[in-house]
Amino acid sequence: MSACNDFVVRFANVNGTGSASANYLFAKSIFRMGIPVSPKNIFPSNIQGLPTWYEVRVSEKGYLGRREGVDLCVSVNPQSMKQDVQCVKPGGYFVYDNTKPLADELVRPDITYIGIPLMETCNREYTDARQRQLFKNVMYVGALSALLEIEFSVLEDLLREQFAGKEKLIAPNVKALQLGIDFIHQNVPYPLPFRVERRDLVGNSILTDGNSACGLGAVYGGATVVAWYPITPSTSVAEAFHSYADELRIDADGRSNYAIVQAEDELAAIGMVIGATWNGSRSFTATSGPGVSLMNEFLGLAYFAEIPVVLIDVQRTGPSTGMPTRTQQSDITLAAYASHGDTKHVLLFPSTPTECFDMTADSFDLAERLQTPIMIMSDLDLGMNDHMCEPFHWDDARTHDRGKIYTAEHLEKITRYGRYLDTDGDGIPYRTIPGAHPTKGSYVVRGTSRDEHAVYTEDSAAYKRNMDRLTKKWETAKTLVHAPQRYQEKYVSKLGVLFFGTSTQSAEEALDLLREKGHVLDALRLRSFPFHHAVSDFVASHETVFVIEQNRDGQMRGLLITELNVDPHRFISVLNYDGMPITADTIMQQILSHLPN
C-alpha cells in the first residue's frame, strides 16, 4: 500500500474521555495543509463510558463522502478493540496503547501493529489524573504526525488558536505532541507508505457543521424566536442560534432582541412557534423524527390555517427511538404528508453546511410567501459532523420577503377583508399582522372549515373551494422552491440517477467510479419538494432512474411515484439504512447489480 493524501484513519475511544478535541486537531491539521478531509463522529447515545469512533477520510481528489475500509486505526479502548482490529484493511496499520500486552486473539497476520506506551508515558510525565487521560489523546496525535508527516508547525498554530486566552495550557499540549513524535522517531520506521503532503486543494473552504450553519442562517433569515425541546441530533441548532443571536441580535441600547424558549415538549414548542409567527415574528423550531411525529397535529393546523412555520428536522435512525446517534434520511414520508387529511408540506434538502445556511435563511421568506410550514430536511451526518464547504455569503442589500401582507393603509381601501380570499389567482391570500389596524383586518384563526372570510362553515362547496385553492398554492410553490442541480447540460444516457442531501457526496464519487467502468449515467440532485418541473422532465427523459437514499423503504422513490404519477418499474432504489453514511462503493455495487455485464 502506497498513497499520498488518500487514506482513512479511524480513532477508537471511550465516550467522555476528552478525545474529541484531539481527534479534531488531527483532522484540522490536514485541512490546514491544504488537503480535503471529511471527518465523521460515530458516538453512542449515552453520556459517557461506551465506545466512540472518529473517522477521517483524506482525499486528494476531493471526495468527501464516507469511504469503506480503514487504512490506520488508533484504538485506545479495550472494550472495542476486537471490533477495531477487524475494521483495518489488509496491509493497514493498527496503533494501540502497549502499556499492557496485546491479547493473542487480536493479532492479525495481514496488518502491521504499532504499540505506543501512551498511559505509561503519561503517568510518568504528568501528575494530575485528568491530564494523564487528556494528554494520552494528544500524544497519539503527535505519533501520527510523525508517521504521516503532518507539519508540526501547523499543530502548534492550532493549539495556540484553541487555547487563546488560556496560554498556560499550550506548553503541556505541545509537550504531549512531542512525546508521541519522539517515541515514533526512536522506535518505529517512519513515515508510513501512505502520508500527507502539503497541497493547495481547499481554496477558501471552511470546515463546519450543518447545525451551526442552520443556527446562523436563522439569524440572518430574520428569526427572533426559537422554541424547542432538546433531542439528539437537533439540540445544537438552537444552541448555535442562541450563540449567534447573543452576538448579532443586540439592540443599540444593549438589550437582546430575541427570545429562546425551551418548551416542556415538542408539542408546546411548535405551538409557540405558530403563535409567534402568526403574531408577526419570524420563529422556528428544530427537532428530529420523534419530535416531528409529535408535531403532526400542529403542522396540520399551520397548513390549514395558513400560518408560516419553519421547522429544521435533523433526521436520525428510527422507527420510534431507534438509534438516536446514527444517521438516516427516513423522515421523508412523515414530513411530506405530516398530519391527517389532504396535507402536503414544502421540504428543502440541503447537502452541505453552506446550503444549510442558505436554505434556512431562505425558508423564512418562503414560509411567509406561501403562508405554510417549511421543513429543512437535514440529518445527523450533515448536522453534527464537520464538512468542508464553501464560505457563507450574505448580501447586505437583501431584504426579508414578508409575502402578502395587508397594512393599515391597504385595509382602509377594502370594504371587507377576506383572509382566505384568492385575489391574484396563485392560491395565496393576503394576511394581516395583529394590531395593524385598530378596527379592520381581524379574523378568527381556527383549524375547522371556514369560508373565504374566515367565517366558520361546514358548507361542502366552501370547503371544496378552500381545498382547491390550497392545491393551486401548491402549484405556485413549485415555482418558488429551490430548483434541482443538473450535472449534464444534455442527457447522454438512458439511465439516470436521483439523489439528495448527504447522499450527494458519495453519489458523485460513485458516478466517477461507474464512469471508469464504462457506465455513464445522467444525474440530478433533488433540492426541494414539491418537485420542480425539471424533476419530471428528467424522469421522462430516462428509461430507468436509480434513486439513492438512506432508508429501508425507498421513501423518496415512493414520493416520486405518487407525485409524478410514474410507472413504479422505472425507478430502482439504491438504499442504505444501517445508520452509517452511505458510501460510493455501496452505491456503485447496487447499480452494477442491475446493469448488464
Side-chain angles (χ1 to χ4, degrees), residues 447-481:
T448 49
S449 180
R450 70 280 160 147
D451 65 12
E452 287 81 355
H453 295 89
V455 176
Y456 168 73
T457 180
E458 294 186 16
D459 177 69
S460 297
Y463 171 80
K464 186 175 183 300
R465 287 197 305 271
N466 187 64
M467 295 301 291
D468 289 343
R469 180 183 57 79
L470 288 172
T471 299
K472 185 181 292 184
K473 183 166 75 168
W474 185 251
E475 293 301 312
T476 299
K478 294 179 181 180
T479 68
L480 299 177
V481 296

Side-chain angles (χ1 to χ4, degrees), residues 133-421:
Q133 178 61 57
L134 294 174
F135 290 136
K136 180 178 73 170
N137 303 323
V138 180
M139 184 179 168
Y140 65 62
V141 173
L144 289 185
S145 73
L147 292 169
L148 302 174
E149 294 194 323
I150 298 172
E151 296 173 10
F152 186 70
S153 60
V154 172
L155 291 166
E156 283 186 307
D157 289 343
L158 287 170
L159 287 174
R160 290 191 185 96
E161 293 174 15
Q162 180 180 347
F163 296 114
K166 301 178 182 178
E167 280 72 17
K168 66 178 182 179
L169 297 177
I170 296 175
N173 276 274
V174 171
K175 176 184 176 181
L177 285 175
Q178 195 63 56
L179 288 170
I181 293 170
D182 291 344
F183 180 84
I184 297 300
H185 286 176
Q186 297 165 15
N187 298 279
V188 181
Y190 69 94
L192 298 182
F194 54 90
R195 57 188 179 83
V196 295
E197 186 176 287
R198 179 174 284 276
R199 294 285 190 269
D200 186 15
L201 299 173
V202 303
N204 64 344
S205 297
I206 60 175
L207 203 60
T208 190
D209 65 273
N211 282 359
S212 295
C214 285
L216 185 61
V219 173
Y220 275 82
T224 57
V225 177
V226 58
W228 64 295
Y229 182 76
I231 182 173
T232 301
S234 71
T235 296
S236 55
V237 173
E239 293 173 343
F241 175 80
H242 188 181
S243 175
Y244 292 124
D246 200 39
E247 178 182 353
L248 301 172
R249 286 223 171 283
I250 305 298
D251 288 339
D253 60 5
R255 292 191 298 179
S256 299
N257 185 21
Y258 64 91
I260 296 179
V261 183
Q262 181 175 325
E264 61 267 33
D265 54 35
E266 287 88 351
L267 274 172
I270 196 167
M272 294 173 186
V273 169
I274 290 172
T277 54
W278 174 81
N279 203 42
S281 296
R282 286 193 157 187
S283 179
F284 76 100
T285 189
T287 190
S288 191
V292 178
S293 295
L294 289 169
M295 293 176 179
N296 262 233
E297 184 174 359
F298 266 142
L299 285 167
L301 171 64
Y303 171 82
F304 198 56
E306 299 180 71
I307 301 172
V309 168
V310 172
L311 188 159
I312 300 169
D313 178 10
V314 189
Q315 300 166 89
R316 70 188 204 186
T317 302
S320 190
T321 305
M323 293 193 293
T325 58
R326 297 291 184 267
T327 195
Q328 273 190 357
Q329 297 172 311
S330 56
D331 295 350
I332 307 302
T333 306
L334 168 68
Y337 303 125
S339 193
H340 52 278
D342 295 323
T343 309
K344 291 183 181 180
H345 299 294
V346 176
L347 311 180
L348 304 181
F349 303 107
S351 65
T352 66
T354 305
E355 285 194 335
C356 284
F357 173 82
D358 291 337
M359 287 186 175
T360 300
D362 293 345
S363 67
F364 292 95
D365 285 352
L366 201 55
E368 293 199 306
R369 288 183 70 181
L370 291 169
Q371 300 173 32
T372 198
I374 308 294
M375 283 185 259
I376 300 165
M377 306 301 289
S378 180
D379 58 35
L380 183 145
D381 179 26
L382 177 56
M384 296 192 71
N385 285 323
D386 288 305
H387 296 258
M388 196 178 87
C389 62
E390 296 179 359
F392 307 155
H393 295 287
W394 184 260
D395 183 358
D396 288 333
R398 174 174 169 175
T399 57
H400 300 316
D401 185 350
R402 303 304 304 269
K404 295 183 177 183
I405 296 180
Y406 276 150
T407 64
E409 184 180 356
H410 293 128
L411 291 169
E412 284 290 347
K413 301 175 183 178
I414 297 173
T415 303
R416 185 184 182 192
Y417 171 54
R419 171 63 182 96
Y420 299 107
L421 188 64

Side-chain angles (χ1 to χ4, degrees), residues 488-535:
Q488 298 88 8
E489 287 300 319
K490 294 182 179 180
Y491 301 135
V492 298
S493 173
K494 296 180 180 179
L495 302 175
V497 180
L498 287 174
F499 46 86
F500 61 98
T502 50
S503 298
T504 298
Q505 289 75 23
S506 292
E508 291 172 343
E509 181 180 359
L511 288 171
D512 287 347
L513 295 175
L514 287 164
R515 190 177 298 109
E516 292 172 3
K517 293 181 177 294
H519 302 286
V520 179
L521 283 74
D522 298 325
L524 193 76
R525 178 168 71 91
L526 303 172
R527 300 177 68 212
S528 60
F529 174 73
F531 299 124
H532 190 273
H533 67 83
V535 179

Side-chain angles (χ1 to χ4, degrees), residues 7 9-11 19-41 54-59 140-142 144-145 148 150 154-155 158 162 177 196 202 206-208 385-388:
F7 55 87
V9 174
R10 170 181 276 201
F11 299 90
S19 59
S21 60
N23 297 341
Y24 183 62
L25 174 67
F26 171 82
K28 196 161 188 180
S29 66
I30 297 175
F31 178 72
R32 285 287 181 90
M33 289 179 64
I35 307 162
V37 295
S38 179
K40 306 290 184 189
N41 191 20
Y54 188 82
E55 281 187 7
V56 180
R57 182 179 185 183
V58 181
S59 173
Y140 65 62
V141 173
L144 289 185
S145 73
L148 302 174
I150 298 172
V154 172
L155 291 166
L158 287 170
Q162 180 180 347
L177 285 175
V196 295
V202 303
I206 60 175
L207 203 60
T208 190
N385 285 323
D386 288 305
H387 296 258
M388 196 178 87

Side-chain angles (χ1 to χ4, degrees), residues 511-569:
L511 288 171
D512 287 347
L513 295 175
L514 287 164
R515 190 177 298 109
E516 292 172 3
K517 293 181 177 294
H519 302 286
V520 179
L521 283 74
D522 298 325
L524 193 76
R525 178 168 71 91
L526 303 172
R527 300 177 68 212
S528 60
F529 174 73
F531 299 124
H532 190 273
H533 67 83
V535 179
S536 55
D537 291 345
F538 181 87
V539 172
S541 301
H542 295 87
E543 293 180 0
T544 300
V545 177
F546 296 95
V547 184
I548 302 170
E549 51 187 314
Q550 300 183 71
N551 57 70
R552 184 195 67 182
D553 295 338
Q555 294 182 25
M556 182 61 76
R557 176 181 179 272
L559 200 61
L560 288 160
I561 292 168
T562 299
E563 295 296 323
L564 301 182
N565 193 25
V566 177
D567 180 0
H569 295 97

